[in-house]
Structure formats: C-alpha cells, structure tokens
C-alpha cells in the first residue's frame, strides 16, 4: 500500500491550498484517513481526520479554516486549507488505516509528506 501526497507549495498569508493524498496497492478497505503536520523543531501533530462514513475531526488551530474530505471511489483524501497563516507552515503528511483483506488486521500507512510554506 502506498500513499502519494501532493498539492503543497508556497502561498501568501490569507491564501488557499488543496492537498490530495491517493492510496494505491492491495486495499480491501480504507478506514479512517487523516492529515498530520510537522513544523520545524516541533512534534508531528494531528490536523484533521475523517472516518469511512464521513465524520470529521479537526485540531482547534484549524477549525473553520481547513476542510477534510474523501472520495472513497478514488481512495483519496483531501485537505482544503483556507485563510492560511504563517504558523501553518509545515510538512503535511497523510495517513490511512488500511485493511488489505477481509480477514487482515488494520495497519496505518503514511504518505511521504508535502511541504506547505505560508509567507507573511
């Protein structure tokens, strides 16, 4: 199973970016999917998560600005980021809880990370 993240880049404060993360490989079912970020010198933190049924959860710091969504037919999770702030600058990682067969355990896979830089 591989997760391929894309969509990062350089944006001015107040701008928007949309991150995508596509899962591929031997996938029976994608359960929870999510986005994390890690800023320089800081620990990785959860940004947003979405269940297979579409329930969402957000970090307080991004509520009202970021929206997580998923397309189950495409095995893809998205993160729409609006009103970006310099403190949103970080490497953003996606993850997914994957069951590879109906009888297999669920494992969490991670994408490679995509850099988001917000200039002031």
């Amino acid at each position: 199973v591989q997760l391929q993240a894309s969509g990062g880049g350089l944006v001015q404060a107040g701008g928007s970016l949309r991150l995508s993360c596509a899962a591929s490989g031997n996938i029976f079912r994608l359960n929870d999917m999510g986005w994390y970020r890690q800023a320089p010198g800081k620990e990785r933190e959860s940004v947003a998560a979405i269940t297979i049924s579409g329930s969402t959860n957000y970090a307080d710091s991004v509520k009202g600005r970021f929206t997580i969504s998923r397309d189950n037919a495409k095995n893809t999770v998205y993160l729409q980021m609006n009103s970006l702030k310099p403190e949103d600058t970080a490497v953003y990682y996606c993850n997914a809880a994957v069951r590879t067969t109906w009888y297999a355990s669920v494992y969490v896979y991670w994408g490679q990370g995509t850099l988001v830089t917000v200039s002031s």
Side-chain angles (χ1 to χ4, degrees):
V1 177
Q2 293 183 331
L3 299 183
Q4 182 67 46
S6 61
L10 173 64
V11 64
Q12 289 187 332
S16 298
L17 282 175
R18 188 190 194 209
L19 305 183
S20 300
C21 176
S24 61
N26 188 23
I27 299 171
F28 174 74
R29 175 172 292 175
L30 282 177
N31 292 335
D32 294 358
M33 303 182 78
W35 289 93
Y36 285 67
R37 67 186 180 187
Q38 187 166 19
K42 295 187 177 182
E43 293 185 353
R44 190 176 296 190
E45 63 174 357
S46 176
V47 175
I50 186 167
T51 68
I52 191 171
S53 60
S55 297
T56 58
N57 191 35
Y58 297 92
D60 288 342
S61 59
V62 307
K63 281 182 180 176
R65 300 188 297 122
F66 291 9
T67 302
I68 189 170
S69 62
R70 64 189 287 169
D71 184 333
N72 291 330
K74 296 181 179 179
N75 289 339
T76 300
V77 62
Y78 305 96
L79 186 68
Q80 178 66 45
M81 305 185 294
N82 299 328
S83 302
L84 283 161
K85 304 175 181 180
E87 52 263 43
D88 294 319
T89 295
V91 177
Y92 283 71
Y93 299 90
C94 58
N95 75 352
V98 181
R99 190 184 297 274
T100 54
T101 66
W102 67 268
Y103 54 84
S105 298
V106 174
Y107 289 95
V108 177
Y109 294 85
W110 289 85
Q112 84 285 8
T114 184
L115 177 62
V116 173
T117 304
V118 184
S119 63
S120 57

